[in-house]
Amino acid sequence: MVGLVLGLTLGLLAGWSVATGGPLEAHAANLSWWIDGLVQPVGRIFLRIIFMVVIPLIVSAIVIGVAEMGDARTLGRIGLRTLWVTLLLSGISVVLALGLVNVLQPGRAIDETRRVQLVAAYGGASEKSIECAKEAKPISKTLLDLIPENPLAEAANAFNPDNPGGGLLAVMVFSLFIGVAMALSPPERVAVLRGFFDGVFEVSMRVIGFALKLAPLGVACLSFSVAARLGLDIFRTLGFYAAVVVGGLALHQFVVYPVVLVLLARRSPAEFFRGAKEAIVTAFSTSSSNATLPVSLRVAEEKLSIPPRIARFVLTVGASANQNGTAIYEGITVLFLAQVFGVELTVGQQLIVALMCIMAGIGTAGVPGGSLPLVVGVLLTIGVPAEAIAIILGIDRFLDMCRTALNVTGDLVIAAVVAKGESSVTREYQPVA
Ligand code: ASP
């Protein structure tokens, strides 16, 4: 927050002085020199550290996430029910996000001349992808490209908007296949491979940790250059964006979940939310699904009367593999930034963003800021300059608190739905006394 406030204030001041002939006017040329020569490169170091590990992070996270879900085989019906409710809720959340951002268009709130300046300032990447969008691939080819011919080539070109293949999404699908295959293999034969992916994930998260240590400085630098170029427009645009994200999360929390609770879990939503309150508040204050896990487990068993074996399985897997809040946030953020930078996405490309967000939900670590590397990856894939993330980074912590609360509620909702199915099955054998 301090980095953001400092960067924005100084940036606004510098931009305003230059525009209105203030004390800095004589230094207008110097200002661009400072931005291009010093401020932006420092901000970019922060981003580069994240880029470096995006691919290994995504691959290892999805492989492990899917393999864990796959272990559900041993749990049979519980695993399958968890899987389908997870997919259903993730699908609804992404549709909701894309619908909201397309209807409300928060990224278009920005002044046209400002947009042109932004695109010019951040290089031709977005112009290039505007051209790419014009010659978009037919849907059939888009779908076929989901299965990569050469996963390594896709990984190497994942951030190249001119890449003719499936890019990052193809890498995600590849990881999905490896995860499923790993779950179906005898555990002792794949133990080393599993350990390897665990290690890659651990190390990548540490590197992200290094980047986050630099975050205050990086955010200050990136927001300085954005504010100097965008002026006061930044507040209007950012406020609108944050309102759309919070609105989307609220709709899912207070409309979608209650409907699912009534229809699939046959529970009173009011009673459910009363019971789940403690876990939701913990998620909100820690911004971490993983850190909330112990509280969710207790709440599920003690307050929501979910059988321990179901709670343990669903909540543990869900803490990293079911993140509806994250999916909503990623969908809105990516399309918002595409709108800000005037990158027009075809229906096919939006479909790709949707699929990527669903997979990103599986691949996001349940830690504060866990989804940032994924957002950066998706942005680069569709040709929005990654510096764009500077616009939203400063307010990310608040949005993280909100989306984590939804992530954790979602896990408890799934546990309730799965428990309902189980109780009706057991009742056939053990009539309630
Ligand atoms: N903080 C989120 C969680 O732990 C992940 C994210 O969206 O950054 O669930």
Side-chain angles (χ1 to χ4, degrees):
M1 282 304 277
V2 171
L4 176 79
V5 172
L6 213 68
L8 283 183
T9 317
L10 293 179
L12 280 179
L13 221 62
W16 168 80
S17 300
V18 168
T20 58
L24 274 179
E25 198 204 4
H27 304 289
N30 284 351
L31 181 67
S32 330
W33 183 88
W34 277 98
I35 292 184
D36 295 337
L38 187 72
V39 180
Q40 268 199 31
V42 172
R44 278 195 188 133
I45 294 178
F46 160 69
L47 289 174
R48 286 274 173 118
I49 300 178
I50 296 185
F51 296 168
M52 243 173 17
V53 290
V54 163
I55 295 281
L57 181 73
I58 291 180
V59 172
S60 54
I62 294 186
V63 169
I64 299 168
V66 173
E68 267 172 15
M69 273 216 206
D71 287 346
R73 251 181 338 139
T74 48
L75 283 159
R77 212 177 34 235
I78 297 182
L80 275 181
R81 276 183 77 86
T82 307
L83 188 68
W84 87 255
V85 188
T86 302
L87 288 179
L88 175 79
L89 288 180
S90 305
I92 297 178
S93 58
V94 172
V95 170
L96 184 75
L98 298 196
L100 278 177
V101 85
N102 274 306
V103 171
L104 299 174
Q105 311 246 353
R108 307 246 184 255
I110 197 167
D111 187 63
E112 198 49 44
T113 45
R114 295 284 193 191
R115 187 197 318 282
V116 175
Q117 278 173 3
L118 257 190
V119 174
Y122 288 104
S126 52
E127 283 164 30
K128 216 191 265 169
S129 59
I130 293 172
E131 280 161 28
C132 288
K134 279 192 199 122
E135 45 195 70
K137 290 190 280 188
I139 293 262
S140 55
K141 166 108 174 72
T142 307
L143 291 178
L144 188 62
D145 279 343
L146 290 182
I147 303 175
E149 256 177 345
N150 178 347
L152 284 182
E154 295 301 340
N157 286 305
F159 302 145
N160 171 8
D162 291 335
N163 175 19
L168 188 62
L169 187 56
V171 176
M172 288 174 159
V173 171
F174 169 72
S175 317
L176 201 91
F177 271 89
I178 299 293
V180 171
M182 205 152 97
L184 295 177
S185 307
E188 63 291 352
R189 300 288 298 275
V190 290
V192 175
L193 190 63
R194 201 176 186 138
F196 168 77
F197 281 115
D198 271 334
V200 171
F201 180 73
E202 179 66 32
V203 168
S204 310
M205 283 310 289
R206 291 243 165 240
V207 175
I208 299 281
F210 299 153
L212 289 182
K213 290 236 178 332
L214 275 184
L217 183 65
V219 169
C221 288
L222 293 168
S223 54
F224 175 88
S225 37
V226 175
R229 289 178 167 138
L230 267 185
L232 283 173
D233 254 14
I234 182 99
F235 290 106
R236 196 157 35 104
T237 316
L238 210 56
F240 194 0
Y241 153 76
V244 175
V245 173
V246 174
L249 296 176
L251 269 179
H252 205 70
Q253 178 93 335
F254 300 115
V255 178
V256 177
Y257 286 157
V259 170
V260 169
L261 282 169
V262 171
L263 292 184
L264 299 181
R266 305 264 175 235
R267 268 180 189 254
S268 138
E271 195 189 300
F272 174 89
F273 280 112
R274 248 196 313 278
K277 192 174 62 194
E278 201 186 328
I280 299 174
V281 171
T282 311
F284 185 77
S285 51
T286 58
S287 293
S288 166
S289 307
N290 286 354
T292 311
L293 188 56
V295 182
S296 319
L297 283 170
R298 190 165 45 75
V299 159
E301 291 169 25
E302 288 174 9
K303 303 256 167 71
L304 302 175
S305 321
I306 294 170
R309 84 198 157 97
I310 294 179
R312 255 169 246 160
F313 170 73
V314 178
L315 297 179
T316 315
V317 172
S320 48
N322 171 60
Q323 302 195 332
N324 299 162
T326 297
I328 292 182
Y329 157 79
E330 282 174 0
I332 294 182
T333 303
V334 169
L335 293 195
F336 160 74
L337 290 175
Q339 287 170 358
V340 168
F341 280 82
V343 176
E344 297 292 341
L345 298 177
T346 58
V347 177
Q349 283 171 310
Q350 294 214 13
L351 190 74
I352 301 237
V353 171
L355 289 176
M356 280 205 257
C357 290
I358 294 182
M359 299 239 208
I362 301 178
T364 300
V367 297
S371 49
L372 287 180
L374 276 298
V375 174
V376 169
V378 180
L379 282 180
L380 287 172
T381 312
I382 58 166
V384 177
E387 279 84 356
I389 202 160
I391 302 180
I392 52 137
L393 213 51
I395 51 163
D396 185 63
R397 183 61 185 220
F398 170 66
L399 298 181
D400 198 0
M401 294 163 81
C402 301
R403 65 184 183 254
T404 308
L406 192 78
N407 289 345
V408 168
T409 314
D411 298 340
L412 289 169
V413 169
I414 296 184
V417 173
V418 173
K420 164 74 190 140
E422 284 307 294
S423 66
S424 57
V425 172
T426 21
R427 217 170 284 146
E428 285 169 22
Y429 304 101
Q430 306 167 339
V432 182

